[in-house]
Amino acid sequence: MAKRLDYNQIAPSGAKALGTVYGYVLQSGLPAELVELVYLRVSQINNCAYCLDMHTRDLVKKGVKIEKIALVQAWQEGGSLFSERERAALRWAESVTNVAQTGVPDAAYEAVRAVFDEKQLVDLTIAISLMNSYNRMAISFGNTPQAVLEN
């Protein structure tokens, strides 16, 4: 897909507002690797090539093993590659991202509450919501993945 427009140039205040939320998530105290895994999973669900490329690269830069990155989509079968908190966060990310289908059931909430306190859960949900917004912007306006630009 060709780039349709540059929303950062057209609506810089809106892009800055999203960036402010991104900055909030970075300083929230949630582990950076966990947040990136969640960002990657949300981007997989939404099929955002731009974000898939970016978050895969970010995880590699953070030293995450390629085996773990490759299995994010199938985290439930990833065994000990994923911690209990990561599995809970990925389950929550799937339920929240697919809210129209899941309704985010009580069971999903109770599972994530077992390993995250209230503040962490709110921050995690903000991160999930933010990535859903970024995915929609990138897909809608045709952001080109870095991998494509390099070829």
Side-chain angles (χ1 to χ4, degrees), residues 67-88:
E67 296 84 1
K68 185 172 187 175
I69 296 168
L71 291 177
V72 168
Q73 188 166 342
W75 62 267
Q76 292 174 327
E77 299 172 32
S80 63
L81 282 175
F82 298 94
S83 70
E84 180 182 9
R85 284 173 58 89
E86 289 169 341
R87 288 191 304 271

Side-chain angles (χ1 to χ4, degrees), residues 107-127:
Y109 174 76
E110 290 163 10
V112 77
R113 278 291 289 135
V115 293
F116 289 96
D117 66 29
E118 289 178 345
K119 170 85 165 54
Q120 293 168 333
L121 180 54
V122 171
D123 289 342
L124 178 61
T125 308
I126 289 170

Side-chain angles (χ1 to χ4, degrees), residues 91-136:
R91 182 179 298 114
W92 185 247
E94 289 176 356
S95 190
V96 171
T97 297
N98 293 313
V99 66
Q101 290 81 33
T102 69
V104 190
D106 289 342
Y109 174 76
E110 290 163 10
V112 77
R113 278 291 289 135
V115 293
F116 289 96
D117 66 29
E118 289 178 345
K119 170 85 165 54
Q120 293 168 333
L121 180 54
V122 171
D123 289 342
L124 178 61
T125 308
I126 289 170
I128 293 163
S129 301
L130 175 66
M131 190 48 48
N132 274 286
S133 293
Y134 273 134
N135 289 167
R136 281 149 179 78

